[in-house]
Short mmCIF file of all heavy atoms in Angstrom, two decimals:
data_model
loop_
_atom_site.label_atom_id
_atom_site.label_comp_id
_atom_site.label_asym_id
_atom_site.label_seq_id
_atom_site.Cartn_x
_atom_site.Cartn_y
_atom_site.Cartn_z
N ASN L 638 -37.80 -54.64 -10.18
CA ASN L 638 -38.92 -55.56 -10.34
C ASN L 638 -38.44 -56.87 -9.73
O ASN L 638 -38.04 -57.78 -10.44
CB ASN L 638 -39.30 -55.73 -11.81
CG ASN L 638 -40.50 -56.62 -12.02
OD1 ASN L 638 -41.25 -56.90 -11.07
ND2 ASN L 638 -40.71 -57.09 -13.23
N PRO L 639 -38.45 -56.90 -8.37
CA PRO L 639 -37.76 -58.00 -7.65
C PRO L 639 -38.07 -59.36 -8.26
O PRO L 639 -39.22 -59.64 -8.57
CB PRO L 639 -38.33 -57.86 -6.22
CG PRO L 639 -38.67 -56.41 -6.11
CD PRO L 639 -39.17 -56.02 -7.47
N PRO L 640 -37.01 -60.18 -8.45
CA PRO L 640 -35.62 -59.94 -7.99
C PRO L 640 -34.79 -59.12 -8.98
O PRO L 640 -33.63 -58.89 -8.73
CB PRO L 640 -35.08 -61.36 -7.90
CG PRO L 640 -35.78 -62.11 -8.99
CD PRO L 640 -37.19 -61.53 -9.01
N LYS L 641 -35.38 -58.67 -10.09
CA LYS L 641 -34.58 -57.92 -11.07
C LYS L 641 -34.30 -56.53 -10.53
O LYS L 641 -35.13 -55.89 -9.88
CB LYS L 641 -35.33 -57.83 -12.42
CG LYS L 641 -35.47 -59.15 -13.14
CD LYS L 641 -36.18 -58.94 -14.48
CE LYS L 641 -36.31 -60.25 -15.26
NZ LYS L 641 -36.97 -60.06 -16.58
N LYS L 642 -33.09 -56.04 -10.84
CA LYS L 642 -32.69 -54.71 -10.44
C LYS L 642 -32.21 -53.95 -11.69
O LYS L 642 -31.51 -54.52 -12.54
CB LYS L 642 -31.57 -54.74 -9.41
CG LYS L 642 -31.98 -55.39 -8.08
CD LYS L 642 -30.81 -55.37 -7.09
CE LYS L 642 -31.24 -56.00 -5.76
NZ LYS L 642 -30.12 -55.97 -4.77
N TYR L 643 -32.59 -52.69 -11.77
CA TYR L 643 -32.21 -51.84 -12.90
C TYR L 643 -31.47 -50.63 -12.32
O TYR L 643 -31.99 -49.53 -12.25
CB TYR L 643 -33.43 -51.42 -13.70
CG TYR L 643 -34.27 -52.59 -14.20
CD1 TYR L 643 -35.34 -53.07 -13.45
CD2 TYR L 643 -33.97 -53.20 -15.40
CE1 TYR L 643 -36.09 -54.15 -13.90
CE2 TYR L 643 -34.73 -54.26 -15.86
CZ TYR L 643 -35.78 -54.74 -15.11
OH TYR L 643 -36.53 -55.81 -15.57
N GLN L 644 -30.21 -50.88 -11.93
CA GLN L 644 -29.42 -49.83 -11.28
C GLN L 644 -29.18 -48.65 -12.17
O GLN L 644 -28.86 -47.55 -11.68
CB GLN L 644 -28.08 -50.40 -10.79
CG GLN L 644 -28.22 -51.48 -9.73
CD GLN L 644 -28.24 -52.89 -10.33
OE1 GLN L 644 -28.64 -53.08 -11.49
NE2 GLN L 644 -27.84 -53.88 -9.56
N ASP L 645 -29.31 -48.83 -13.49
CA ASP L 645 -29.06 -47.74 -14.43
C ASP L 645 -30.28 -46.92 -14.74
O ASP L 645 -30.21 -46.02 -15.59
CB ASP L 645 -28.46 -48.29 -15.71
CG ASP L 645 -29.36 -49.34 -16.40
OD1 ASP L 645 -30.21 -49.94 -15.69
OD2 ASP L 645 -29.19 -49.57 -17.60
N ILE L 646 -31.38 -47.19 -14.05
CA ILE L 646 -32.65 -46.49 -14.33
C ILE L 646 -33.28 -46.01 -13.03
O ILE L 646 -33.32 -46.74 -12.04
CB ILE L 646 -33.64 -47.42 -15.08
CG1 ILE L 646 -33.12 -47.69 -16.50
CG2 ILE L 646 -35.02 -46.77 -15.15
CD1 ILE L 646 -33.95 -48.68 -17.26
N VAL L 647 -33.78 -44.78 -13.05
CA VAL L 647 -34.51 -44.20 -11.91
C VAL L 647 -35.92 -43.84 -12.41
O VAL L 647 -36.05 -43.21 -13.48
CB VAL L 647 -33.81 -42.93 -11.40
CG1 VAL L 647 -34.62 -42.31 -10.27
CG2 VAL L 647 -32.41 -43.26 -10.94
N ASN L 648 -36.92 -44.25 -11.68
CA ASN L 648 -38.30 -43.96 -12.08
C ASN L 648 -38.72 -42.57 -11.61
O ASN L 648 -38.27 -42.08 -10.56
CB ASN L 648 -39.25 -45.00 -11.48
CG ASN L 648 -39.14 -46.35 -12.18
OD1 ASN L 648 -38.88 -46.40 -13.39
ND2 ASN L 648 -39.33 -47.43 -11.44
N PHE L 649 -39.61 -41.97 -12.38
CA PHE L 649 -40.26 -40.75 -11.90
C PHE L 649 -41.15 -41.06 -10.72
O PHE L 649 -41.78 -42.10 -10.66
CB PHE L 649 -41.05 -40.10 -13.04
CG PHE L 649 -40.22 -39.52 -14.13
CD1 PHE L 649 -40.14 -40.12 -15.39
CD2 PHE L 649 -39.52 -38.35 -13.91
CE1 PHE L 649 -39.37 -39.58 -16.39
CE2 PHE L 649 -38.74 -37.79 -14.93
CZ PHE L 649 -38.67 -38.40 -16.16
N TYR L 650 -41.22 -40.11 -9.82
CA TYR L 650 -42.03 -40.26 -8.60
C TYR L 650 -43.37 -39.54 -8.85
O TYR L 650 -43.51 -38.34 -8.64
CB TYR L 650 -41.30 -39.65 -7.41
CG TYR L 650 -41.98 -39.80 -6.09
CD1 TYR L 650 -42.55 -41.01 -5.69
CD2 TYR L 650 -42.07 -38.72 -5.20
CE1 TYR L 650 -43.18 -41.14 -4.45
CE2 TYR L 650 -42.69 -38.83 -3.98
CZ TYR L 650 -43.25 -40.04 -3.61
OH TYR L 650 -43.88 -40.18 -2.38
N PHE L 651 -44.35 -40.32 -9.31
CA PHE L 651 -45.63 -39.72 -9.71
C PHE L 651 -46.45 -39.26 -8.52
O PHE L 651 -47.44 -38.54 -8.69
CB PHE L 651 -46.42 -40.68 -10.60
CG PHE L 651 -45.99 -40.70 -12.02
CD1 PHE L 651 -45.01 -41.55 -12.47
CD2 PHE L 651 -46.56 -39.82 -12.93
CE1 PHE L 651 -44.58 -41.55 -13.78
CE2 PHE L 651 -46.16 -39.81 -14.27
CZ PHE L 651 -45.17 -40.69 -14.69
N GLU L 652 -46.07 -39.66 -7.30
CA GLU L 652 -46.77 -39.19 -6.10
C GLU L 652 -46.24 -37.86 -5.59
O GLU L 652 -46.70 -37.35 -4.58
CB GLU L 652 -46.65 -40.26 -5.01
CG GLU L 652 -47.45 -41.51 -5.24
CD GLU L 652 -46.74 -42.47 -6.17
OE1 GLU L 652 -45.60 -42.21 -6.59
OE2 GLU L 652 -47.34 -43.53 -6.51
N THR L 653 -45.28 -37.29 -6.31
CA THR L 653 -44.71 -36.01 -5.88
C THR L 653 -45.79 -34.93 -5.79
O THR L 653 -46.77 -34.93 -6.55
CB THR L 653 -43.62 -35.56 -6.84
OG1 THR L 653 -43.14 -34.28 -6.44
CG2 THR L 653 -44.11 -35.48 -8.29
N LYS L 654 -45.59 -33.98 -4.88
CA LYS L 654 -46.51 -32.86 -4.78
C LYS L 654 -46.45 -31.99 -6.03
O LYS L 654 -47.40 -31.25 -6.33
CB LYS L 654 -46.18 -32.04 -3.53
CG LYS L 654 -46.49 -32.77 -2.24
CD LYS L 654 -46.16 -31.88 -1.02
CE LYS L 654 -46.43 -32.64 0.28
NZ LYS L 654 -46.10 -31.81 1.46
N ALA L 655 -45.33 -32.11 -6.73
CA ALA L 655 -45.15 -31.32 -7.96
C ALA L 655 -45.58 -32.13 -9.18
O ALA L 655 -45.01 -31.99 -10.27
CB ALA L 655 -43.70 -30.89 -8.09
N TYR L 656 -46.60 -32.97 -8.99
CA TYR L 656 -47.02 -33.87 -10.09
C TYR L 656 -47.52 -33.09 -11.31
O TYR L 656 -47.35 -33.53 -12.44
CB TYR L 656 -48.07 -34.87 -9.61
CG TYR L 656 -49.45 -34.30 -9.43
CD1 TYR L 656 -50.40 -34.39 -10.45
CD2 TYR L 656 -49.82 -33.69 -8.25
CE1 TYR L 656 -51.67 -33.87 -10.31
CE2 TYR L 656 -51.10 -33.17 -8.09
CZ TYR L 656 -52.01 -33.26 -9.10
OH TYR L 656 -53.25 -32.77 -8.96
N LYS L 657 -48.15 -31.93 -11.10
CA LYS L 657 -48.67 -31.19 -12.24
C LYS L 657 -47.53 -30.73 -13.15
O LYS L 657 -47.64 -30.83 -14.41
CB LYS L 657 -49.49 -29.97 -11.77
CG LYS L 657 -50.78 -30.35 -11.09
CD LYS L 657 -51.58 -29.11 -10.72
CE LYS L 657 -52.90 -29.49 -10.03
NZ LYS L 657 -53.67 -28.28 -9.63
N GLU L 658 -46.47 -30.23 -12.55
CA GLU L 658 -45.31 -29.82 -13.35
C GLU L 658 -44.68 -31.02 -14.05
O GLU L 658 -44.22 -30.91 -15.21
CB GLU L 658 -44.27 -29.13 -12.44
CG GLU L 658 -44.74 -27.78 -11.89
CD GLU L 658 -45.63 -27.91 -10.68
OE1 GLU L 658 -45.89 -29.05 -10.23
OE2 GLU L 658 -46.08 -26.86 -10.16
N LEU L 659 -44.61 -32.15 -13.37
CA LEU L 659 -44.06 -33.37 -13.97
C LEU L 659 -44.91 -33.80 -15.15
O LEU L 659 -44.37 -34.09 -16.25
CB LEU L 659 -44.00 -34.49 -12.93
CG LEU L 659 -43.62 -35.88 -13.43
CD1 LEU L 659 -42.24 -35.86 -14.06
CD2 LEU L 659 -43.69 -36.91 -12.32
N TRP L 660 -46.21 -33.84 -15.00
CA TRP L 660 -47.09 -34.23 -16.10
C TRP L 660 -46.91 -33.31 -17.31
O TRP L 660 -46.83 -33.76 -18.44
CB TRP L 660 -48.55 -34.21 -15.63
CG TRP L 660 -48.97 -35.33 -14.75
CD1 TRP L 660 -48.18 -36.05 -13.89
CD2 TRP L 660 -50.28 -35.86 -14.60
NE1 TRP L 660 -48.94 -36.98 -13.21
CE2 TRP L 660 -50.23 -36.90 -13.64
CE3 TRP L 660 -51.52 -35.56 -15.17
CZ2 TRP L 660 -51.35 -37.64 -13.25
CZ3 TRP L 660 -52.64 -36.27 -14.79
CH2 TRP L 660 -52.56 -37.31 -13.84
N GLU L 661 -46.90 -32.02 -17.04
CA GLU L 661 -46.76 -31.05 -18.13
C GLU L 661 -45.44 -31.22 -18.87
O GLU L 661 -45.38 -31.12 -20.10
CB GLU L 661 -46.88 -29.62 -17.58
CG GLU L 661 -48.27 -29.24 -17.11
CD GLU L 661 -49.26 -29.06 -18.26
OE1 GLU L 661 -48.86 -29.04 -19.42
OE2 GLU L 661 -50.48 -28.92 -17.94
N GLU L 662 -44.36 -31.53 -18.13
CA GLU L 662 -43.07 -31.71 -18.77
C GLU L 662 -43.06 -32.96 -19.64
O GLU L 662 -42.58 -32.96 -20.77
CB GLU L 662 -41.95 -31.82 -17.73
CG GLU L 662 -40.59 -32.13 -18.30
CD GLU L 662 -40.07 -31.11 -19.29
OE1 GLU L 662 -40.57 -29.94 -19.28
OE2 GLU L 662 -39.15 -31.44 -20.05
N LEU L 663 -43.67 -34.05 -19.15
CA LEU L 663 -43.70 -35.29 -19.93
C LEU L 663 -44.58 -35.11 -21.18
O LEU L 663 -44.26 -35.64 -22.23
CB LEU L 663 -44.19 -36.43 -19.06
CG LEU L 663 -43.29 -36.77 -17.86
CD1 LEU L 663 -43.84 -37.95 -17.09
CD2 LEU L 663 -41.85 -37.06 -18.32
N LEU L 664 -45.65 -34.35 -21.04
CA LEU L 664 -46.46 -34.02 -22.23
C LEU L 664 -45.61 -33.23 -23.24
O LEU L 664 -45.69 -33.50 -24.44
CB LEU L 664 -47.70 -33.21 -21.82
CG LEU L 664 -48.53 -32.64 -22.97
CD1 LEU L 664 -49.11 -33.73 -23.85
CD2 LEU L 664 -49.64 -31.74 -22.41
N SER L 665 -44.81 -32.32 -22.75
CA SER L 665 -44.00 -31.52 -23.67
C SER L 665 -42.97 -32.39 -24.40
O SER L 665 -42.59 -32.08 -25.52
CB SER L 665 -43.31 -30.38 -22.91
OG SER L 665 -42.21 -30.85 -22.15
N VAL L 666 -42.52 -33.48 -23.74
CA VAL L 666 -41.62 -34.41 -24.41
C VAL L 666 -42.29 -35.04 -25.63
O VAL L 666 -41.75 -35.06 -26.75
CB VAL L 666 -41.13 -35.50 -23.43
CG1 VAL L 666 -40.39 -36.61 -24.20
CG2 VAL L 666 -40.23 -34.91 -22.38
N ALA L 667 -43.50 -35.56 -25.39
CA ALA L 667 -44.24 -36.17 -26.51
C ALA L 667 -44.49 -35.16 -27.62
O ALA L 667 -44.28 -35.46 -28.80
CB ALA L 667 -45.55 -36.76 -26.00
N LEU L 668 -44.91 -33.95 -27.26
CA LEU L 668 -45.22 -32.95 -28.28
C LEU L 668 -43.97 -32.49 -29.02
O LEU L 668 -44.03 -32.13 -30.21
CB LEU L 668 -45.91 -31.75 -27.63
CG LEU L 668 -47.32 -32.01 -27.09
CD1 LEU L 668 -47.87 -30.80 -26.36
CD2 LEU L 668 -48.26 -32.42 -28.23
N HIS L 669 -42.82 -32.50 -28.34
CA HIS L 669 -41.57 -32.14 -29.01
C HIS L 669 -41.32 -33.05 -30.21
O HIS L 669 -40.98 -32.56 -31.30
CB HIS L 669 -40.40 -32.23 -28.03
CG HIS L 669 -39.07 -32.02 -28.68
ND1 HIS L 669 -38.54 -30.75 -28.89
CD2 HIS L 669 -38.12 -32.90 -29.17
CE1 HIS L 669 -37.36 -30.86 -29.49
NE2 HIS L 669 -37.09 -32.15 -29.66
N TRP L 670 -41.51 -34.34 -30.01
CA TRP L 670 -41.22 -35.29 -31.08
C TRP L 670 -42.34 -35.33 -32.12
O TRP L 670 -42.09 -35.58 -33.32
CB TRP L 670 -40.94 -36.67 -30.50
CG TRP L 670 -39.72 -36.63 -29.64
CD1 TRP L 670 -39.65 -36.77 -28.28
CD2 TRP L 670 -38.39 -36.37 -30.08
NE1 TRP L 670 -38.36 -36.63 -27.83
CE2 TRP L 670 -37.55 -36.39 -28.92
CE3 TRP L 670 -37.78 -36.15 -31.31
CZ2 TRP L 670 -36.18 -36.18 -28.98
CZ3 TRP L 670 -36.42 -35.93 -31.38
CH2 TRP L 670 -35.61 -35.94 -30.22
N VAL L 671 -43.58 -35.03 -31.68
CA VAL L 671 -44.65 -34.89 -32.66
C VAL L 671 -44.33 -33.74 -33.61
O VAL L 671 -44.51 -33.84 -34.83
CB VAL L 671 -46.00 -34.68 -31.95
CG1 VAL L 671 -47.09 -34.29 -32.96
CG2 VAL L 671 -46.43 -35.92 -31.19
N ASN L 672 -43.82 -32.66 -33.05
CA ASN L 672 -43.47 -31.49 -33.89
C ASN L 672 -42.28 -31.77 -34.79
O ASN L 672 -42.07 -31.07 -35.79
CB ASN L 672 -43.17 -30.29 -33.00
CG ASN L 672 -44.41 -29.77 -32.29
OD1 ASN L 672 -45.53 -29.88 -32.81
ND2 ASN L 672 -44.25 -29.19 -31.11
#
């Protein structure tokens, strides 16, 4: 977030062609903790 740098963090690439799989996995994270 220029000029700030977060070298210890990598963002998910939501423009990936595999976005459906990414979305489903992140949903499963939320549901894991709900359970």
Side-chain angles (χ1 to χ4, degrees):
N638 183 15
K641 293 182 178 181
K642 296 181 179 181
Y643 304 93
Q644 296 94 334
D645 57 338
I646 291 174
V647 178
N648 286 327
F649 289 107
Y650 183 46
F651 278 90
E652 290 81 4
T653 177
K654 292 181 180 179
Y656 76 94
K657 291 183 180 179
E658 292 82 1
L659 173 60
W660 285 28
E661 290 289 350
E662 175 61 19
L663 297 181
L664 172 62
S665 76
V666 169
L668 291 175
H669 174 84
W670 297 111
V671 171
N672 291 331

